[in-house]
Amino acid sequence: MKTLIKNGTVVTAGETFKSDLLIEEGVITSMAQGMSEEGADEVIDAAGLLVMPGGIDPHTHLDMPFGGTSSSDDFFTGHKAAAFGGTTCHIDFAIQQKGKTMVDAIQEWKKKAVGKAAVDYGFHVALTDPVDSSIEEIPELLKEGVSSLKIFMAYKGAFQVDDTTFLKALKKSAEHGLTTMVHAENGDAIALLTEELLAEGKNAMGYHNVAHSAAIEAEATARAVSFVEMTNAPLYIVHIACEDGLEAVRKGRAKGLPVMGETCVQYTHITDDWIDTEDFEGAKYICSPPPKGEDDKAAVWKALRDGTVQTVATDHCPFWFEGGKDGRIPGKELGKESWVKVPNGVPGIEDRFPVMWHLGVNSGKISPNRFVEVTSTNAAKIFGMYPQKGSVSVGAHADLVLFDPEMEHTISAETHHMNVDYNCYEGMTVKGWPKQVMVRGKTLVKDGEWLGEEGYGAFVSRDADNEIL
Ligand code: URP
Ligand code: ZN
Ligand code: ZN
């Protein structure tokens, strides 16, 4: 199958230029202006459109048991939503269960995806059982095509591991060319504050912000950066939401340490007052770390501009607002009585690409090329998928978004494709929308119509020794 995309403007992380693209068997085989249509099975006119690498979301939680229920998107609903929003690949977290191995977790997550996946996907694995055998197992992860390992400094009694385990994992991962990732919040402090708040009868949604303050995030982030200084092991800090955490990363990078940062689309828009409501509405935005104040939001944008963070993810972890009825699994309503029981997480896999374009590029905060870098290319480089993914170049997978920068779309839970009954960007009219989305040359979405297939998405196996940006 030969597809020719004509007359488009290619936008990559590095440049913007006019070029036609020839796609053969899912791969870009030629790029030039004025290519002949002869021999093409399909010709797409991309005049007026931007041709960008499909979004890569490096941080998602599909079909994940968490908070007394499960995230509500599986590998089909989540992928369909991703594609509608211009995301063609993502990396999900396989979570180790205590008493089981990390390889077990990866195999379990592979089973969740096979037959359902519609876009391409990879896995990170979370080390949650702090036993020596978990550390010893780290090199084995590469045989499963997994080259990144996550540590939780939070969720005491569930996923959190101690600093000794964190340091051992950092060292072992670096020795074998894996990248360590970390959720940086001080889980011991959260547990203590939570106990105290609950003892005082403080159950309103806003107390989530008190138990997960900026100081709690910043302390853990600074500690994680210090661990990089002690080990010189590469570390990618996930979902950074506060100014002081970003400052810790900035300082570490200024010293030349191999520390990288990720923020999430919700932290570029939502603030802590969205959670601190008198009614239950605030539960929609409860996630960890929670969004912080206006200054932190501004700091997130600054960090996106100055390169302190390399990626913008979603941490997509959707829960029904009104779950547990009409065939829905339980969701946020589990926490009606107290913030502490609200499952942590927000949806966003469908929104990230257009919302970041709208809030970032349309406002002049970031350039179109920086947009491509933080929504696609950098994740591909850091996690070992580049240049197959995250690139519009000869030899790359034709994972493409034909993006109409003039098209307006009002985001709403009424029309989105995520399997969840609310949207964090409800009512936001974005300018710029994915008109056509392709994965390995196959069109999954065109003009709002679903043309994808359950089972088409492929697992992306990743090797060791990836880029440190
Ligand atoms: O609230 C969040 N972030 N839920 C997903 C799990 C995690 O911490 O990344
Ligand atoms: Zn996390
Ligand atoms: Zn997460």
Side-chain angles (χ1 to χ4, degrees), residues 152-231:
F152 285 94
M153 295 169 89
Y155 302 125
K156 195 170 181 175
F159 301 155
Q160 182 177 338
V161 298
D162 55 286
D163 286 352
T164 311
T165 304
F166 183 8
L167 276 162
K168 283 184 180 172
L170 262 173
K171 286 177 159 196
K172 192 71 157 187
S173 297
E175 217 177 285
H176 294 272
L178 286 91
T179 305
T180 306
M181 311 166 77
V182 68
H183 173 135
E185 285 186 297
N186 184 324
D188 289 0
I190 294 169
L192 179 64
L193 285 171
T194 301
E195 207 180 298
E196 289 172 357
L197 289 166
L198 296 183
E200 291 167 28
K202 294 181 167 161
N203 291 303
M205 297 303 122
Y207 290 107
H208 178 80
N209 297 336
V210 178
H212 293 255
S213 67
I216 276 173
E217 186 187 339
E219 183 281 327
T221 309
R223 183 159 30 111
V225 174
S226 301
F227 288 176
V228 179
E229 191 157 13
M230 293 170 205
T231 58

Coordinates of all heavy atoms in Angstrom, one line a residue, residues 152-231:
F152 N 7.9 4.6 43.5 CA 7.0 5.5 44.1 C 7.6 5.9 45.5 O 7.8 5.0 46.3 CB 5.6 4.8 44.4 CG 4.8 4.6 43.1 CD1 4.8 3.4 42.4 CD2 3.9 5.6 42.7 CE1 4.0 3.3 41.3 CE2 3.1 5.5 41.6 CZ 3.1 4.3 40.9
M153 N 7.7 7.2 45.7 CA 8.1 7.7 47.0 C 6.9 7.9 47.8 O 6.9 8.3 49.0 CB 8.9 9.0 46.9 CG 10.3 8.7 46.2 SD 11.1 10.3 45.7 CE 12.0 10.7 47.2
A154 N 5.7 7.7 47.2 CA 4.4 8.0 47.9 C 3.5 6.7 47.8 O 3.9 5.7 47.3 CB 3.7 9.2 47.3
Y155 N 2.3 6.9 48.4 CA 1.3 5.8 48.5 C 1.8 4.7 49.5 O 2.1 3.6 49.2 CB 1.0 5.1 47.2 CG 0.5 6.1 46.1 CD1 1.1 6.2 44.9 CD2 -0.7 6.8 46.3 CE1 0.6 7.0 43.9 CE2 -1.2 7.7 45.4 CZ -0.5 7.8 44.1 OH -1.0 8.6 43.2
K156 N 2.1 5.2 50.7 CA 2.6 4.4 51.8 C 1.6 3.2 52.1 O 0.4 3.4 52.1 CB 2.7 5.2 53.1 CG 3.5 4.5 54.2 CD 3.8 5.4 55.3 CE 4.7 4.7 56.3 NZ 5.1 5.5 57.4
G157 N 2.2 2.0 52.2 CA 1.3 0.8 52.5 C 0.8 0.2 51.2 O 0.2 -0.8 51.2
A158 N 1.1 0.9 50.1 CA 0.6 0.3 48.8 C 1.9 0.2 47.8 O 2.5 -0.8 47.8 CB -0.5 1.2 48.2
F159 N 2.2 1.3 47.1 CA 3.2 1.2 46.1 C 4.6 1.7 46.6 O 5.6 1.5 46.0 CB 2.9 2.1 44.9 CG 1.6 1.7 44.2 CD1 0.9 2.7 43.5 CD2 1.1 0.4 44.2 CE1 -0.3 2.3 42.8 CE2 -0.1 0.1 43.6 CZ -0.8 1.0 42.8
Q160 N 4.6 2.5 47.7 CA 5.8 3.2 48.2 C 6.9 2.2 48.5 O 6.6 1.2 49.2 CB 5.4 4.1 49.4 CG 6.6 4.9 49.9 CD 6.2 5.8 51.1 OE1 5.0 6.1 51.2 NE2 7.2 6.2 51.9
V161 N 8.1 2.6 48.2 CA 9.3 1.8 48.7 C 10.2 2.8 49.4 O 10.1 4.0 49.2 CB 10.0 1.1 47.5 CG1 9.1 0.0 46.9 CG2 10.6 2.0 46.5
D162 N 11.1 2.2 50.2 CA 12.0 3.0 51.0 C 13.2 3.5 50.1 O 13.4 3.1 49.0 CB 12.5 2.2 52.1 CG 13.2 0.9 51.6 OD1 12.4 0.0 51.2 OD2 14.4 0.8 51.5
D163 N 13.9 4.5 50.7 CA 15.0 5.1 50.0 C 16.1 4.1 49.6 O 16.8 4.3 48.6 CB 15.6 6.3 50.8 CG 14.7 7.5 50.9 OD1 13.7 7.5 50.1 OD2 15.0 8.4 51.6
T164 N 16.3 3.1 50.5 CA 17.4 2.1 50.2 C 17.0 1.4 48.9 O 17.9 1.3 48.0 CB 17.5 1.1 51.3 OG1 17.5 1.8 52.6 CG2 18.6 0.2 51.2
T165 N 15.8 1.0 48.8 CA 15.3 0.3 47.6 C 15.5 1.3 46.4 O 15.9 0.9 45.3 CB 13.9 -0.1 47.7 OG1 13.8 -1.0 48.9 CG2 13.4 -0.9 46.5
F166 N 15.1 2.5 46.6 CA 15.2 3.5 45.5 C 16.6 3.6 45.0 O 16.9 3.5 43.8 CB 14.6 4.9 46.0 CG 14.5 6.0 45.0 CD1 14.8 5.8 43.7 CD2 14.2 7.3 45.5 CE1 14.7 6.9 42.8 CE2 14.1 8.4 44.6 CZ 14.4 8.2 43.2
L167 N 17.5 3.8 46.0 CA 19.0 3.9 45.6 C 19.5 2.7 44.9 O 20.2 2.8 43.9 CB 19.8 4.2 46.8 CG 19.8 5.7 47.2 CD1 20.3 5.9 48.7 CD2 20.7 6.5 46.3
K168 N 19.1 1.5 45.4 CA 19.6 0.3 44.8 C 19.0 0.1 43.4 O 19.7 -0.3 42.5 CB 19.1 -0.9 45.6 CG 19.9 -1.2 46.9 CD 19.4 -2.5 47.5 CE 20.1 -2.8 48.8 NZ 19.5 -3.9 49.5
A169 N 17.8 0.5 43.2 CA 17.1 0.4 41.9 C 17.8 1.4 40.9 O 18.1 1.0 39.7 CB 15.7 0.7 42.0
L170 N 18.1 2.6 41.4 CA 18.8 3.6 40.5 C 20.1 3.0 40.0 O 20.4 3.1 38.8 CB 19.1 4.8 41.4 CG 18.2 6.0 41.3 CD1 18.6 7.1 42.3 CD2 18.1 6.7 39.9
K171 N 20.9 2.5 41.0 CA 22.2 2.0 40.6 C 22.1 0.8 39.6 O 22.8 0.8 38.6 CB 23.0 1.5 41.9 CG 23.4 2.7 42.7 CD 24.1 2.1 43.9 CE 25.0 3.2 44.6 NZ 25.9 2.6 45.5
K172 N 21.3 -0.1 40.0 CA 21.2 -1.4 39.1 C 20.6 -1.0 37.7 O 21.1 -1.5 36.8 CB 20.2 -2.3 39.8 CG 20.2 -3.7 39.2 CD 21.5 -4.4 39.6 CE 21.4 -5.9 39.5 NZ 22.6 -6.5 40.0
S173 N 19.7 -0.1 37.7 CA 19.1 0.3 36.4 C 20.2 1.0 35.6 O 20.3 0.6 34.4 CB 17.9 1.3 36.6 OG 16.9 0.6 37.3
A174 N 20.9 1.9 36.2 CA 22.0 2.6 35.4 C 23.0 1.6 34.9 O 23.5 1.7 33.8 CB 22.6 3.6 36.3
E175 N 23.4 0.6 35.7 CA 24.4 -0.4 35.4 C 24.0 -1.1 34.1 O 24.8 -1.5 33.3 CB 24.4 -1.4 36.5 CG 25.8 -2.0 36.9 CD 25.5 -2.9 38.1 OE1 25.3 -2.4 39.2 OE2 25.5 -4.1 37.9
H176 N 22.6 -1.3 33.9 CA 22.2 -2.1 32.8 C 21.5 -1.2 31.7 O 20.8 -1.8 30.8 CB 21.2 -3.2 33.3 CG 21.9 -4.2 34.1 ND1 22.6 -5.3 33.6 CD2 22.2 -4.2 35.4 CE1 23.2 -6.0 34.5 NE2 23.0 -5.4 35.7
G177 N 21.6 0.1 31.8 CA 21.1 1.0 30.8 C 19.6 1.2 30.8 O 19.0 1.6 29.8
L178 N 19.0 1.0 32.0 CA 17.6 1.3 32.1 C 17.4 2.7 32.7 O 18.3 3.2 33.4 CB 16.8 0.3 33.0 CG 16.6 -1.1 32.4 CD1 17.7 -2.0 32.7 CD2 15.2 -1.7 32.9
T179 N 16.3 3.3 32.4 CA 16.0 4.6 33.0 C 15.1 4.5 34.2 O 14.0 3.8 34.1 CB 15.3 5.5 31.9 OG1 16.2 5.5 30.8 CG2 15.1 6.9 32.4
T180 N 15.5 5.1 35.3 CA 14.6 5.0 36.5 C 13.6 6.2 36.4 O 14.0 7.3 36.0 CB 15.4 5.1 37.8 OG1 16.3 4.0 37.7 CG2 14.5 4.9 39.0
M181 N 12.4 6.0 36.9 CA 11.4 7.1 36.9 C 11.0 7.2 38.4 O 11.0 6.2 39.1 CB 10.2 6.8 36.0 CG 10.6 6.3 34.7 SD 9.2 5.6 33.8 CE 8.3 7.0 33.3
V182 N 10.5 8.4 38.8 CA 10.0 8.4 40.2 C 8.8 9.3 40.3 O 8.7 10.4 39.7 CB 11.2 8.9 41.1 CG1 11.6 10.3 40.9 CG2 10.8 8.7 42.6
H183 N 7.9 8.8 41.2 CA 6.8 9.7 41.7 C 7.3 10.3 42.9 O 7.5 9.6 43.9 CB 5.5 8.8 41.9 CG 4.4 9.5 42.6 ND1 3.1 9.4 42.2 CD2 4.4 10.3 43.7 CE1 2.3 10.1 43.0 NE2 3.1 10.7 43.9
A184 N 7.5 11.6 42.9 CA 8.2 12.3 44.0 C 7.2 13.1 44.9 O 6.9 14.2 44.6 CB 9.3 13.2 43.4
E185 N 6.7 12.4 45.9 CA 6.0 13.0 47.0 C 6.4 12.3 48.3 O 6.6 11.0 48.2 CB 4.5 12.9 46.9 CG 3.8 13.8 45.8 CD 2.3 13.7 45.9 OE1 1.8 12.5 45.6 OE2 1.7 14.7 46.2
N186 N 6.6 12.9 49.4 CA 7.0 12.3 50.6 C 5.8 11.5 51.2 O 4.9 12.1 51.9 CB 7.5 13.3 51.6 CG 8.1 12.7 52.9 OD1 7.6 11.7 53.3 ND2 9.1 13.3 53.4
G187 N 5.8 10.2 51.0 CA 4.7 9.3 51.4 C 4.5 9.2 52.9 O 3.4 9.1 53.4
D188 N 5.6 9.3 53.6 CA 5.5 9.2 55.1 C 4.8 10.5 55.6 O 3.9 10.4 56.5 CB 6.9 9.1 55.7 CG 7.6 7.8 55.5 OD1 6.9 6.9 54.8 OD2 8.7 7.5 55.9
A189 N 5.2 11.6 55.1 CA 4.6 12.9 55.5 C 3.1 12.9 55.1 O 2.3 13.3 55.9 CB 5.3 14.1 54.9
I190 N 2.8 12.4 54.0 CA 1.4 12.4 53.5 C 0.6 11.5 54.5 O -0.5 11.9 54.9 CB 1.3 11.8 52.1 CG1 1.9 12.8 51.1 CG2 -0.2 11.6 51.7 CD1 2.1 12.2 49.7
A191 N 1.1 10.3 54.8 CA 0.4 9.4 55.7 C 0.1 10.0 57.1 O -1.0 9.9 57.6 CB 1.2 8.1 55.9
L192 N 1.2 10.7 57.6 CA 1.0 11.4 58.9 C 0.0 12.5 58.9 O -1.0 12.6 59.7 CB 2.4 11.9 59.4 CG 2.3 12.6 60.8 CD1 1.9 11.6 61.9 CD2 3.7 13.2 61.1
L193 N 0.1 13.3 57.9 CA -0.8 14.5 57.8 C -2.2 14.0 57.6 O -3.2 14.5 58.1 CB -0.4 15.4 56.6 CG 0.8 16.3 56.9 CD1 1.2 17.0 55.6 CD2 0.4 17.3 57.9
T194 N -2.4 12.9 56.8 CA -3.7 12.3 56.5 C -4.3 11.9 57.8 O -5.5 12.2 58.1 CB -3.6 11.2 55.5 OG1 -3.0 11.7 54.3 CG2 -4.9 10.6 55.2
E195 N -3.6 11.2 58.6 CA -4.1 10.7 59.9 C -4.5 11.8 60.8 O -5.6 11.8 61.3 CB -2.9 9.9 60.6 CG -3.3 8.8 61.5 CD -2.0 8.3 62.1 OE1 -1.2 7.7 61.3 OE2 -1.8 8.4 63.3
E196 N -3.7 12.9 60.8 CA -4.1 14.0 61.7 C -5.3 14.7 61.1 O -6.2 15.1 61.9 CB -2.9 15.0 61.7 CG -1.7 14.5 62.5 CD -0.4 15.3 62.4 OE1 -0.5 16.4 61.6 OE2 0.5 15.0 63.0
L197 N -5.4 14.9 59.8 CA -6.5 15.6 59.3 C -7.8 14.9 59.5 O -8.8 15.4 59.9 CB -6.3 15.8 57.8 CG -5.3 16.9 57.4 CD1 -4.9 16.8 55.9 CD2 -5.7 18.3 57.7
L198 N -7.7 13.5 59.3 CA -8.9 12.7 59.5 C -9.4 12.7 61.0 O -10.6 12.8 61.3 CB -8.7 11.3 59.0 CG -8.5 11.2 57.5 CD1 -8.3 9.7 57.1 CD2 -9.6 11.9 56.7
A199 N -8.4 12.7 61.9 CA -8.7 12.7 63.3 C -9.4 14.0 63.7 O -10.2 14.0 64.6 CB -7.4 12.5 64.1
E200 N -9.1 15.1 63.0 CA -9.8 16.4 63.2 C -11.1 16.5 62.5 O -11.7 17.6 62.4 CB -8.8 17.5 62.8 CG -7.6 17.7 63.7 CD -6.6 18.6 63.1 OE1 -6.9 19.5 62.3 OE2 -5.4 18.4 63.4
G201 N -11.5 15.4 61.8 CA -12.7 15.4 61.0 C -12.7 16.3 59.8 O -13.7 16.8 59.3
K202 N -11.5 16.5 59.2 CA -11.3 17.3 58.0 C -11.4 16.4 56.8 O -10.5 15.8 56.3 CB -10.0 18.0 58.1 CG -10.0 19.0 59.2 CD -8.7 19.8 59.3 CE -9.0 21.0 60.3 NZ -7.7 21.6 60.8
N203 N -12.7 16.3 56.3 CA -13.0 15.4 55.2 C -13.3 16.1 53.9 O -13.5 15.4 52.9 CB -14.2 14.5 55.6 CG -13.8 13.5 56.7 OD1 -12.9 12.8 56.5 ND2 -14.5 13.6 57.8
A204 N -13.4 17.4 53.9 CA -13.7 18.1 52.6 C -12.6 17.9 51.6 O -11.4 17.6 51.9 CB -13.9 19.6 52.9
M205 N -13.0 18.0 50.3 CA -12.1 17.7 49.2 C -10.7 18.4 49.3 O -9.7 17.9 49.0 CB -12.7 17.9 47.8 CG -14.0 17.1 47.6 SD -13.6 15.3 47.7 CE -14.7 14.8 49.0
G206 N -10.8 19.7 49.7 CA -9.6 20.6 49.7 C -8.5 20.0 50.6 O -7.3 20.4 50.4
Y207 N -8.8 19.2 51.6 CA -7.8 18.6 52.4 C -6.8 17.7 51.7 O -5.7 17.4 52.2 CB -8.4 18.0 53.7 CG -9.0 19.0 54.6 CD1 -10.4 19.2 54.7 CD2 -8.2 19.9 55.3 CE1 -10.9 20.2 55.5 CE2 -8.7 20.9 56.0 CZ -10.1 21.1 56.2 OH -10.6 22.1 56.9
H208 N -7.2 17.3 50.5 CA -6.3 16.5 49.7 C -5.1 17.4 49.4 O -3.9 16.9 49.5 CB -6.9 16.0 48.4 CG -6.0 15.3 47.5 ND1 -5.7 14.0 47.6 CD2 -5.3 15.7 46.4 CE1 -4.8 13.6 46.7 NE2 -4.6 14.7 45.9
N209 N -5.3 18.7 49.1 CA -4.2 19.6 48.8 C -3.3 19.8 50.0 O -2.1 20.0 49.9 CB -4.8 21.0 48.4 CG -5.6 20.9 47.1 OD1 -5.4 20.0 46.3 ND2 -6.5 21.8 46.9
V210 N -4.0 19.8 51.2 CA -3.2 20.0 52.5 C -2.2 18.8 52.7 O -1.1 19.0 53.0 CB -4.1 20.2 53.7 CG1 -3.3 20.4 55.0 CG2 -5.1 21.4 53.4
A211 N -2.8 17.6 52.5 CA -2.0 16.4 52.7 C -0.9 16.2 51.6 O 0.0 15.4 51.8 CB -2.9 15.2 52.8
H212 N -1.1 16.9 50.5 CA -0.2 16.7 49.3 C 0.3 18.1 49.0 O 0.2 18.5 47.8 CB -0.9 16.1 48.1 CG -1.3 14.7 48.4 ND1 -0.7 13.6 47.8 CD2 -2.3 14.1 49.1 CE1 -1.3 12.5 48.1 NE2 -2.3 12.8 48.9
S213 N 0.9 18.8 49.9 CA 1.3 20.2 49.7 C 2.5 20.3 48.8 O 3.2 19.3 48.5 CB 1.6 20.9 51.0 OG 2.8 20.3 51.5
A214 N 2.8 21.5 48.3 CA 4.0 21.8 47.5 C 5.2 21.3 48.2 O 6.2 20.8 47.7 CB 4.0 23.2 47.1
A215 N 5.3 21.6 49.6 CA 6.5 21.2 50.3 C 6.7 19.7 50.3 O 7.9 19.3 50.2 CB 6.3 21.7 51.8
I216 N 5.6 19.0 50.3 CA 5.7 17.5 50.3 C 6.3 17.0 48.9 O 7.1 16.1 48.9 CB 4.3 16.9 50.6 CG1 4.3 16.8 52.2 CG2 4.1 15.5 50.0 CD1 2.9 16.4 52.7
E217 N 5.8 17.7 47.9 CA 6.3 17.3 46.5 C 7.8 17.8 46.4 O 8.6 17.1 45.9 CB 5.4 17.9 45.4 CG 5.8 17.5 44.1 CD 5.1 18.1 42.9 OE1 4.0 18.7 43.1 OE2 5.6 18.1 41.8
A218 N 8.0 19.0 46.8 CA 9.4 19.6 46.6 C 10.4 18.9 47.4 O 11.5 18.6 46.9 CB 9.3 21.1 47.0
E219 N 10.1 18.5 48.6 CA 11.1 17.7 49.4 C 11.5 16.4 48.7 O 12.7 16.1 48.6 CB 10.5 17.4 50.8 CG 11.5 16.8 51.8 CD 11.6 15.3 51.6 OE1 10.7 14.6 51.2 OE2 12.7 14.8 51.8
A220 N 10.5 15.7 48.3 CA 10.8 14.4 47.7 C 11.6 14.6 46.3 O 12.5 13.8 46.0 CB 9.5 13.6 47.4
T221 N 11.2 15.7 45.6 CA 11.9 15.9 44.3 C 13.3 16.3 44.6 O 14.2 15.7 43.9 CB 11.1 17.1 43.6 OG1 9.7 16.8 43.5 CG2 11.7 17.2 42.2
A222 N 13.6 17.1 45.6 CA 15.0 17.5 45.9 C 15.7 16.3 46.4 O 16.9 16.1 46.0 CB 15.0 18.6 46.9
R223 N 15.1 15.4 47.1 CA 15.8 14.2 47.6 C 16.1 13.3 46.4 O 17.2 12.8 46.3 CB 14.8 13.5 48.6 CG 15.4 12.2 49.3 CD 14.7 11.9 50.6 NE 13.3 12.2 50.6 CZ 12.3 11.3 50.6 NH1 12.6 10.0 50.6 NH2 11.1 11.7 50.7
A224 N 15.2 13.2 45.5 CA 15.4 12.3 44.3 C 16.6 12.9 43.5 O 17.4 12.1 43.1 CB 14.1 12.2 43.5
V225 N 16.6 14.2 43.4 CA 17.7 14.8 42.6 C 19.1 14.6 43.4 O 20.1 14.3 42.8 CB 17.5 16.3 42.4 CG1 18.7 17.0 41.8 CG2 16.3 16.6 41.6
S226 N 19.0 14.6 44.7 CA 20.2 14.3 45.5 C 20.7 12.9 45.2 O 21.9 12.6 45.2 CB 20.0 14.5 47.0 OG 19.6 15.8 47.3
F227 N 19.7 12.0 45.1 CA 20.1 10.6 44.8 C 20.8 10.5 43.5 O 21.7 9.6 43.3 CB 18.9 9.7 44.9 CG 18.3 9.5 46.3 CD1 17.1 8.7 46.5 CD2 19.0 10.0 47.4 CE1 16.6 8.5 47.7 CE2 18.4 9.8 48.7 CZ 17.3 9.0 48.9
V228 N 20.4 11.3 42.5 CA 21.1 11.3 41.2 C 22.5 11.8 41.4 O 23.5 11.3 40.9 CB 20.3 12.2 40.2 CG1 21.1 12.2 38.9 CG2 18.9 11.7 40.0
E229 N 22.7 12.8 42.3 CA 24.0 13.3 42.6 C 24.9 12.2 43.2 O 26.1 12.1 42.9 CB 23.9 14.6 43.5 CG 25.2 15.3 43.6 CD 25.0 16.8 44.0 OE1 23.8 17.1 44.4 OE2 25.9 17.5 43.9
M230 N 24.3 11.4 44.1 CA 25.1 10.4 44.7 C 25.5 9.2 43.8 O 26.5 8.6 44.0 CB 24.2 9.8 45.9 CG 24.0 10.7 47.0 SD 22.8 10.0 48.1 CE 22.1 11.4 48.9
T231 N 24.6 9.0 42.8 CA 24.8 7.8 42.0 C 25.2 8.1 40.5 O 25.6 7.2 39.8 CB 23.5 7.0 41.9 OG1 22.4 7.8 41.4 CG2 23.0 6.5 43.3

